Structures are given as structure tokens and as C-alpha cells.
Amino acid sequence: MVTEMVGQLNRMNVIEMKQTKMQSKFTKVGSAYGLISGITFAMNSIILGVALAREPFTLGTSAMYVAPLVAAAINDSITALWLIIYNAIRGNMNELVRSVKTKPGVMICVAAILGGPVAMGSYLLGIQFCGSAYTMPISALCPVVGAVLARIFMNQKMSARVGIGMAICIAGTALISFTPPEGEYPYFYLGLLFAFGSALGWGAEGALATFGMSMVNPDIAITIREITSGLASSLIVVPIISGIGMYGALLGTPGTLWIIAIAALTGAVSFLTWYKANAMIGVAPGMALNITYSLWGLVFAFFFTGVTLSVYLIIGAVLVTFGAILVVLNPFETLTKKGA
Amino acid sequence: MNKNRLPMTFRMLHFFSTVQDGTVDHLMEALKSEYGSERQFQRKNLSSYLFSMRENGLIEDSKVELDENEDLRIYYRITDEGSRLLERYLPKDWKNSVGA
């Protein structure tokens, strides 16, 4: 009898140990995906910034306004292509078609329009007018937007932690906007406004997509998102802003096109790993890790674009990142719960 | 044979609404006739997705035991949240034909 009980206890310990190990491995992999999504998104932003400084984006009197939106459209379209190739290799194409026909699939498409043409366009306009080093931290306010929308539309109460996180974000934003950078940025504040627009778009996308993503395979959800956003940007936005000429010229400029293709590859990796992280460790931690892109962005911007990083910018970016993380989760709780 | 095949991820959640609890092997047995020929239908993929569904609160652990190879055999069951989402998003023809 005692031997039996001891045997059972041993088995229970083994089971618990194996479960903890499995959970820990899953969490580590999910977290790694989250970090990778942040790093690769920063890479995508910087490389797009480089592309925007080249022809045909610099040609024409209204190039300054048109170029970022054309770049956003091509970036999303090529990202969609990379993701389709990935899904085709994995054997997911049937599942993709089936998923689009469902209600969550449609919600992903609507979210895609908010997060794609609207947010990405604003983001690139921000990069154009105030530089990537400033745009990234401001755009990282999107969880704040998400929290506000959740409060207004879904009656999700805002805890003290979220409120404090938001306050820190706003303080960080103020610090960043305080002093324009050296160099040619005549429309600096307009750029900041656009950067904030991208936070609005992505925040709204996040809130809506969370509903849609709960039942759809994350690899497929992100592919649906990029296809929708690429199509909407290319077929609706580009013609509206008279960007067809530039779009066509870009397709005939292999040098710049290749740079965007590489940017789109890093973008595809970023989106894939971001949605995977969301599925594996939850949307809030996934977003928190992804948001580190604004800090990675500073590092890359410093080394690859020769921008001068002011003290205000660095402190501000750190504050926004920390504040955004605080909005999505309690870092101390998460770190102690999930273990090392 | 349903005219509109569900995405496999939906069908997985639907499976758990039809049983008290089940393992990934029960799931594969039930879904083999519908998705068995697809490349995504692999034990590793389904196990991983079940883990994610649990992380997102759609299903929960019902019981856990060790199998003959001393590996974990996890039984999952649908949660209230999972049932709610299924009720909300399952297409009409599925709601009528198979008990959800």
C-alpha cells in the first residue's frame, strides 16, 4: 500500500517536472520569437529608410508625400509574397483559403486595412519627415492606443499599472519631441504627427485582430493580413495619391527594388515571429517583446545611418519602451512566474 | 460530407466541444478522414497548436499522465471561453449538422 502510494507520488512528480519543462521550453521559444520580431522589424524600418533616400523615391515635386506610401504598398506586397512562399512550403494554402471565408478571417482583413495602408503609410511618412530614429519610439505607443480602445469599446478596465505605463509613455514621447535632430528635417513636427498616426492604426489593428487571431493559425493570420494590406495599399491608396507613376518607376529600378525586397524579407520574418509569439506566449507579452524594436532601431540607426542620437532621444525611447511594456504586462510578475 | 470544410484550427476546437476530453492522438483519429491528406496534418503541428490554444484559454488541461514511453499524455477539454468563441464564429451549416 505504502509502496503503491510512493510509486504514485513519484509518477506525479515526474509528470509535473516534465510539464514544467515543456511549458518552460514553449515559453522560451515564444519569447525568442518575440525578440526576433522586434529586431527584424527595426531592420525592416532602417532598410526602408535607406531605400526611401534613393530613386525613384526622390524624383518629382510631390515625391516627399507619395514616396512613403508607395514604399509601404510595395513593402507589404513583397512581404505578402514571401509569406505565401513560406506557407506554400508548409502546406498551408488550403487552410488559408478556408480561413479567409470565416468571420475571424474577415476581421483579420479589416484589421489589416487599419494596420496596413493606414498605419504603415503613416509610419513611413513619419520616417520621411522626422527620421526613423524618432518615428520608431512614437509609433511604439500603439499598446497605449490599444488599451484606450479596449477601455472605450470593450469596457476593459484600465488598471493602475496600465495608467502608469501610459504616463511613462507620454513622458517619453514628450522628451523625444523636445528637440528636433540636426540636419534637414523641415517638417519634423508633421513627421511626429504621422508617427503618432501609425500608433493609432496599429493599436486599432491589435485590438481588432486579437478577436480574429484566436482561432486562426497565426502563420495564416499574418499572411491574410499582409495580402490584404498589400492589395489595399497597391490598388486603392497608390492610385488615390497619384503614385502609379512612381510605383511603375520603382518596378523598373532594380537596385532600389532589391533593397525593398530585402527589407520585405526582414519584415516577413518579423511579422511571422510576432504572430507566432502572440500565439505561444499571449498577445500582451508578444507585443511587449516586439515593441523593443524602437530600441533596436536606435542601435541600428546609430550604426548604419549616421544619425546623431541626442540624450533626450535615448532616454525618451527607453521610457516609451518601458512604459509600453508596462501597459501590456507586469514585467516583475511575468519574469518570476515564467521562470528563467 | 460537409460542403464547406472548416479551417483545421476551427475543427480542432469543434472536436473538443464534442468530447469530454481528448489527447492529440484522439484528435488526429477523429480528423484523419477530413485532413489526413494535407501536409499540415502532422502530430508535431497539432501538438504545438493545442499548446497555443491552451495558452490562449480556448482549452485547458483535463488530466496528464505518462504513456508507455514515459512521455506526457495530455488530455485537453474545451473551456467556457473556447465554447463562447466556437458559438460565435462557427458557420451556420456546422452549427446545425453536428452538435456543438
Side-chain angles (χ1 to χ4, degrees):
Chain A
M1 171 79 162
V2 172
T3 323
E4 217 176 271
M5 277 173 67
V6 169
Q8 256 196 351
L9 267 168
N10 277 339
R11 278 183 90 74
M12 277 165 62
N13 280 339
V14 170
I15 288 175
E16 205 180 297
M17 193 188 69
K18 282 187 182 249
Q19 268 191 297
T20 310
K21 206 167 146 194
M22 194 190 263
Q23 174 72 56
S24 167
K25 184 175 162 207
F26 203 70
T27 304
K28 278 191 188 140
V29 171
S31 303
Y33 279 139
L35 266 179
I36 291 170
S37 83
I39 295 171
T40 45
F41 190 71
M43 284 168 70
N44 170 261
S45 306
I46 297 286
I47 299 173
L48 281 176
V50 168
L52 277 172
R54 296 167 57 97
E55 292 186 9
F57 293 122
T58 48
L59 302 172
T61 41
S62 55
M64 220 183 184
Y65 312 101
V66 173
L69 296 170
V70 171
I74 295 246
N75 180 56
D76 275 349
S77 303
I78 301 183
T79 302
L81 281 174
W82 285 120
L83 287 170
I84 289 173
I85 292 172
Y86 172 80
N87 278 296
I89 292 172
R90 297 281 300 234
N92 287 340
M93 293 312 288
N94 284 334
E95 184 81 345
L96 194 150
V97 172
R98 291 191 292 250
S99 299
V100 177
K101 294 183 193 170
T102 62
K103 277 188 217 154
V106 172
M107 285 169 97
I108 292 171
C109 291
V110 174
I113 291 175
L114 287 170
V118 173
M120 197 61 178
S122 294
Y123 187 67
L124 289 181
L125 281 165
I127 290 179
Q128 181 78 295
F129 289 119
C130 70
S132 46
Y134 281 81
T135 305
M136 284 191 254
I138 303 270
S139 66
L141 288 168
C142 49
V144 174
V145 172
V148 170
L149 287 174
R151 174 73 185 90
I152 297 175
F153 292 106
M154 294 177 268
N155 276 323
Q156 283 179 19
K157 294 229 165 64
M158 231 184 265
S159 65
R161 166 177 60 79
V162 170
I164 293 171
M166 284 173 65
I168 295 178
C169 275
I170 292 168
T173 310
L175 209 54
I176 290 169
S177 331
F178 196 64
T179 324
E182 288 167 42
E184 289 289 306
Y185 291 106
Y187 300 108
F188 178 69
Y189 289 102
L190 184 63
L192 291 183
L193 210 61
F194 277 123
F196 187 67
S198 73
L200 277 174
W202 279 329
E205 179 204 354
L208 201 56
T210 310
F211 282 128
M213 265 165 56
S214 45
M215 286 169 74
V216 177
N217 179 330
D219 292 352
I220 286 172
I222 184 53
T223 307
I224 295 174
R225 186 223 185 260
E226 283 302 288
I227 292 174
T228 308
S229 145
L231 282 174
S233 305
S234 303
L235 298 177
I236 302 173
V237 176
V238 168
I240 288 177
I241 57 162
S242 309
I244 297 179
M246 190 182 277
Y247 200 96
L250 177 62
L251 294 176
T253 316
T256 310
L257 193 60
W258 266 113
I259 292 178
I260 295 197
I262 291 167
L265 182 59
T266 59
V269 172
S270 174
F271 280 126
L272 258 175
T273 48
W274 181 34
Y275 272 43
K276 270 190 195 317
N278 288 345
M280 289 171 85
I281 58 175
V283 176
M287 201 187 272
L289 287 167
N290 174 266
I291 238 122
T292 56
Y293 74 78
S294 74
L295 291 181
W296 294 111
L298 288 189
V299 173
F300 292 144
F302 179 72
F303 284 111
F304 294 110
T305 68
V307 71
T308 317
L309 300 182
S310 77
V311 173
Y312 295 126
L313 175 58
I314 295 172
I315 298 176
V318 170
L319 279 177
V320 169
T321 306
F322 181 67
I325 289 175
L326 211 59
V327 165
V328 290
L329 52 80
N330 183 333
F332 309 108
E333 206 180 84
T334 306
L335 285 170
T336 50
K337 180 173 80 166
K338 298 275 167 111
Chain B
M1 185 67 168
N2 288 294
K3 269 181 289 181
N4 294 311
R5 193 181 287 181
L6 288 176
M8 192 177 72
T9 48
F10 280 53
R11 182 69 182 87
M12 286 166 66
L13 191 60
H14 179 269
F15 166 78
F16 285 105
S17 74
T18 61
V19 297
Q20 177 137 6
D21 59 20
T23 64
V24 63
D25 296 303
H26 293 141
L27 176 68
M28 288 186 78
E29 193 56 46
L31 266 52
K32 200 160 52 171
S33 60
E34 295 165 59
Y35 302 93
S37 58
E38 296 187 11
R39 214 179 321 154
Q40 60 166 338
F41 194 73
Q42 294 174 41
R43 197 173 190 277
K44 201 174 69 153
N45 285 347
L46 272 83
S47 294
S48 177
Y49 198 69
L50 285 175
F51 223 86
S52 293
M53 283 167 76
R54 196 192 67 155
E55 248 349 88
N56 285 302
L58 301 183
I59 57 179
E60 61 189 358
D61 288 353
S62 168
K63 62 175 179 275
V64 185
E65 43 187 51
L66 293 174
D67 65 14
E68 313 77 43
N69 303 321
E70 296 278 302
D71 287 327
L72 285 176
R73 183 185 286 143
I74 307 174
Y75 289 78
Y76 296 103
R77 62 171 169 236
I78 198 169
T79 58
D80 288 339
E81 176 67 8
S83 299
R84 191 184 69 85
L85 282 176
L86 202 63
E87 177 61 36
R88 208 166 158 181
Y89 294 134
L90 207 61
K92 282 198 184 76
D93 55 346
W94 269 86
K95 281 185 190 158
N96 293 333
S97 60
V98 187

